[in-house]
Amino acid sequence: MIRSVVRGFGAALPKQVVTNLDLESKVDTSDEWIVQRTGIRQRYIAGEGETTASLGEAAGRAALENAGLTSADLDLIIVATSTPDNTFPATAVNIQNRLGMHHGAAFDVQAVCSGFIFGVTTADAYIRGGLAKRVLVIGAETFSRILDWTDRTTCVLFGDGAGAIILEAQEGTGANSDRGVLTTQLRSDGAHKEKLYVDGGPSTTGTVGHLRMEGREVFKHAVGMITDVIEAAFTATGTTADDLDWLVPHQANRRIIDGSAKKLGIPLEKVVVTVDLHGNTSAASIPLALNTAAADGRIKRGDLVLLEAMGGGFTWGSVLLRW
Ligand code: UT7
């Protein structure tokens, strides 16, 4: 059977680092509160000329270089983002053009913080369905541009950045020992819309709007939703927490990450945490964390890696893959 195997990875961050201390002069907050409640110590914020497409392009170029490929070798680009450069055209098409690619196709997927999971799932379906051989999947965001910088309950939590992987069709046996994506699990439920949303849009206010979140309410749902899709991945493949080499979760809050790992019996030494460095970068957080742990040699070829996310919508999902 055909498997979608990770052929390359890359990431890009804005130049500017903003620490918790820097935020103390903007809103009524403290480094102590932010670290204690979230684990975040700093985040990267896009400056002039840095956009979702420019960061996504840089991450895509890094992934192509890592894979030893060029854009001529790709069939499809999928960009997961909720902060596109323009309402349309899609950021993926913008990045396709920036990469000098004028064949194949490119489109965006929008599932907020779960966007990368939805993007990888879509790419895997294209590859297994024989519609594409190599897909560049990018998670890229500039959440700083939709934050209300006077709202301390949200503005301290998010950051900007981009990460990417290239998935390639390779022949597998169908066993869990195959490299590549082994299972994907997606969920959504629009009943929770008001708990995490942006209060504007082209069809309602004609404005971009600002992110609004009832943090405590989102928190209450997060661990249950995350464990649901992780357990579904274990059931679908007959694997258990003991088989995992790495859990690479969406990086929203250290307490959610630790709570989910504990509930599933996954030791914290097997969990990749970058929320301290990047803050919550929404759809970019998983590929940024993947890039960090693959670049520093923690994630190695053949490792069993579980990705999971939960975010606005609500949307949530998991991907189990062998690196
Ligand atoms: O990525 C998409 C999914 N999003 C998430 O997973 C986020 C989920 N939620 C969370 O991570 C947490 O709920 C937060 C980090 C957002 C908040 O932590 P919390 O422990 O739930 O705090 P809280 O909202 O219950 O607020 C506690 C107190 C409040 O004061 P009172 O009402 O107790 O007097 C807040 O006003 O902390 C206050 N507070 C702050 N204080 C200093 C809220 N924001 C801040 C702040 N600095 N930045």
Side-chain angles (χ1 to χ4, degrees), residues 107-265:
F107 58 83
D108 290 356
V109 298
Q110 209 272 48
V112 203
C113 297
S114 313
F116 190 72
I117 299 288
F118 279 62
V120 167
T121 300
T122 306
D124 180 49
Y126 270 77
I127 288 172
R128 283 188 299 106
L131 297 172
K133 284 207 155 49
R134 283 199 202 99
V135 186
L136 173 61
V137 186
I138 300 171
E141 302 278 17
T142 45
F143 259 49
S144 65
R145 305 246 157 90
I146 55 164
L147 294 174
D148 174 353
W149 284 98
T150 64
D151 175 13
R152 68 172 184 173
T153 69
T154 53
C155 76
V156 304
L157 304 174
F158 295 90
D160 303 333
I165 60 171
I166 293 167
L167 289 173
E168 179 178 82
Q170 290 185 14
E171 199 60 46
T173 63
N176 284 342
S177 53
D178 286 350
R179 288 185 70 211
V181 174
L182 302 178
T183 187
T184 60
Q185 307 287 328
L186 297 187
R187 310 270 189 276
S188 61
D189 183 354
H192 304 284
K193 179 188 166 215
E194 305 301 328
K195 296 186 178 97
L196 177 50
Y197 70 106
V198 170
D199 64 2
S203 179
T204 49
T205 59
T207 63
V208 172
H210 291 114
L211 181 147
R212 305 292 172 204
M213 178 165 76
E214 293 173 39
R216 211 176 306 186
E217 283 299 309
V218 178
F219 197 112
K220 268 202 268 180
H221 287 85
V223 174
M225 289 178 160
I226 290 163
T227 43
D228 156 41
V229 284
I230 291 182
E231 276 162 2
F234 288 152
T235 304
T237 51
T239 51
T240 69
D242 293 340
D243 299 316
L244 287 184
D245 293 296
W246 295 104
L247 172 66
V248 185
H250 169 50
Q251 310 282 322
N253 185 318
R254 181 74 209 232
R255 287 186 292 149
I256 296 175
I257 294 172
D258 290 355
S260 314
K262 194 171 167 208
K263 197 168 165 197
L264 290 153

